[in-house]
Amino acid sequence: MSALFNFQSLLTVVLLLICTCAYIRSIAPRILDKNKTGVLGIFWKCARIGERLSPYVALCCVGMAVSILFLS
């Protein structure tokens, strides 16, 4: 089943995208900062979400891990 039709898989993909973009921006900010608009601006926005809401994103990642490991 595709991640678009399974809600848990969609949430996992979104959380991984946010965490990956925030990590890439912390290592090499120039890559994401030059693309703030357009289609590639989505990655910049995900990085901003990961930076500003990091405690909530981390809590969601832990909750998703517990859900995948023990409830699936």
Side-chain angles (χ1 to χ4, degrees), residues 20-55:
T20 303
C21 290
Y23 177 74
I24 289 173
R25 190 169 189 283
S26 70
I27 298 297
R30 194 176 302 167
I31 294 172
L32 292 176
D33 285 344
K34 66 181 177 182
N35 297 319
K36 291 183 180 179
T37 59
V39 177
L40 295 176
I42 293 170
F43 300 122
W44 179 77
K45 290 175 187 174
C46 287
R48 296 298 284 179
I49 290 170
E51 290 171 355
R52 294 189 178 208
L53 299 176
S54 60

Side-chain angles (χ1 to χ4, degrees), residues 3 5-13 64 67-69 71-72:
F5 300 116
N6 187 354
F7 187 67
Q8 183 177 7
S9 297
L10 179 67
L11 287 178
T12 304
V13 168
M64 186 61 67
S67 170
I68 289 173
L69 288 175
L71 299 178
S72 293

